[in-house]
Amino acid sequence: MHITIEDYKKKEGLPLLGTDNYTLLSQKEIDTFFSGSGVKSPAVGIQYMDLHGERMKCLNSDSPYLRMRVLRAEDEDKGKYKTTPGCSGFRVYIPLQLRKAIEGKKYLVITEGEKKADIACAHGIPCIGVGG
């Protein structure tokens, strides 16, 4: 299966701009960050960022707080999404476009999932996501 990150974003309805925290993970990255998952590439990594655009880390280590979207149908029995193993604590997904979307607004929408939050912000709706 060959896919580019742009193909994935288009297929999922994600904006191409403002979603630089989505990357295509190599097999080496999958094995490093999601060791023991048994997932084969390709997969999409979603890096969680804070309000200042800095990468979030696990509370109990210096490992990045990542979510992985499995793309191969053969791997979906292991779960469509995975979080960096060993990461303790819960993180709210903050889209890179949130600061722009929230300007002048007096509300914040909370949704399930990173992609929905990114799509909402791209349409001017300030939104954060909770990983499902």
Side-chain angles (χ1 to χ4, degrees):
M1 168 191 256
H2 176 74
I3 188 169
T4 67
I5 196 63
E6 290 79 14
D7 291 339
Y8 174 78
K9 289 178 182 181
K10 286 177 187 174
K11 177 180 166 282
E12 297 296 322
L14 286 162
L16 294 178
L17 299 175
T19 52
D20 297 339
N21 55 319
Y22 286 74
T23 58
L24 210 53
L25 297 175
S26 68
Q27 190 62 53
K28 182 178 179 181
E29 290 169 317
I30 293 170
D31 294 342
T32 299
F33 296 117
F34 299 93
S35 61
S37 69
V39 171
K40 300 293 181 205
S41 108
V44 171
I46 306 168
Q47 173 67 60
Y48 273 46
M49 312 297 259
D50 66 18
L51 278 172
H52 305 289
E54 299 294 323
R55 293 173 184 259
M56 288 188 192
K57 294 186 177 185
C58 299
L59 294 178
N60 57 335
S61 73
D62 278 340
S63 296
Y65 191 89
L66 288 171
R67 296 257 295 157
M68 175 175 61
R69 172 59 167 102
V70 173
L71 296 181
R72 289 175 5 121
E74 305 92 302
D75 289 331
E76 286 190 357
D77 63 328
K78 300 170 182 96
K80 286 185 180 183
Y81 286 87
K82 298 196 169 296
T83 303
T84 311
C87 273
S88 64
F90 172 76
R91 296 282 189 273
V92 172
Y93 179 74
I94 302 170
L96 296 174
Q97 295 187 46
L98 178 63
R99 293 181 87 163
K100 181 179 177 185
I102 205 163
E103 287 177 11
K105 310 278 186 355
K106 294 184 179 183
Y107 63 90
L108 177 67
V109 175
I110 302 171
T111 189
E112 181 277 324
E114 300 90 354
K115 292 184 290 187
K116 292 175 195 149
D118 277 313
I119 292 167
C121 283
H123 286 90
I125 301 166
C127 186
I128 58 175
V130 176

